[in-house]
Amino acid sequence: MKGFRRVILVTGTPGVGKTSISRLLASKLDAAYINLGELVEREKLISGVDKMRETLIADTPKVSKRMREIITSSEGNVIVDGHYAVDVVPTKNVHMVFVLRRDPDELKGLMENRGFKGRKLWENLAAEILDVCLW
């Protein structure tokens, strides 16, 4: 069907495997792959910097607008990888959402190996334990 496209979101806390799964899914479905973190950084869709967490703050209205442009111009399926994907892709465009999870003990070690520490580490572990991305 001409013009038909599926938008699939892959979300979850950092370290659960969003990027690995999203890339594999995009490959299997011959879909465009969008990593929200990379998009925000590359296109400077930033509203500020969170110095305490040492991370960029995405300008969600700008990211949402950009995602609408990408989805509209896409000729096929689109896989969106990011923990705030549900906040920047219009619900009407979403075909499916995968919320990835990981055992908190395993996740803690993985996040520490990636340099997460202090408040940033514990906030992300709490988010995983409390199912924040699922809700």
Side-chain angles (χ1 to χ4, degrees), residues 3 6 9-10 18 25 29 31 42 46 48-49 57 59-61 68 70 76 87 99 107 111 114-115 132:
R6 283 182 233 163
L9 310 182
V10 181
K18 294 181 301 294
L25 191 57
L29 297 177
R42 182 178 61 248
I46 301 162
V49 176
I57 301 169
D59 185 327
T60 52
R68 285 192 304 274
I70 291 169
D87 298 322
V99 181
L107 184 60
M111 291 174 82
R114 290 186 177 180
V132 171

Side-chain angles (χ1 to χ4, degrees), residues 50-67:
D50 184 331
K51 291 180 182 169
M52 186 168 49
R53 292 178 186 88
E54 300 176 353
T55 189
L56 300 174
I57 301 169
D59 185 327
T60 52
K62 286 182 182 177
V63 177
S64 186
K65 179 181 179 199
R66 183 66 179 115
M67 286 307 305

Side-chain angles (χ1 to χ4, degrees), residues 6-116:
R6 283 182 233 163
V7 177
I8 299 171
L9 310 182
V10 181
T11 188
T13 55
V16 295
K18 294 181 301 294
T19 300
S20 297
I21 294 298
S22 296
R23 286 183 174 156
L24 180 63
L25 191 57
S27 173
K28 295 283 184 189
L29 297 177
D30 192 28
Y33 166 70
I34 306 296
N35 178 304
L36 288 176
E38 292 172 1
L39 177 73
V40 165
E41 201 167 333
R42 182 178 61 248
E43 298 191 14
K44 305 214 183 323
L45 304 172
I46 301 162
S47 64
V49 176
D50 184 331
K51 291 180 182 169
M52 186 168 49
R53 292 178 186 88
E54 300 176 353
T55 189
L56 300 174
I57 301 169
D59 185 327
T60 52
K62 286 182 182 177
V63 177
S64 186
K65 179 181 179 199
R66 183 66 179 115
M67 286 307 305
R68 285 192 304 274
E69 293 168 359
I70 291 169
I71 291 165
T72 302
S73 66
S74 175
E75 297 197 14
N77 299 324
V78 179
I79 309 299
V80 183
D81 163 8
H83 69 274
Y84 55 93
V86 296
D87 298 322
V88 297
V89 176
T91 305
K92 68 179 182 167
N93 296 114
V94 177
H95 177 74
M96 191 174 297
V97 178
F98 291 98
V99 181
L100 303 184
R101 306 292 314 277
R102 185 170 242 156
D103 176 271
D105 287 331
E106 187 180 312
L107 184 60
K108 181 178 181 282
L110 187 111
M111 291 174 82
E112 287 172 332
N113 288 339
R114 290 186 177 180
F116 284 67

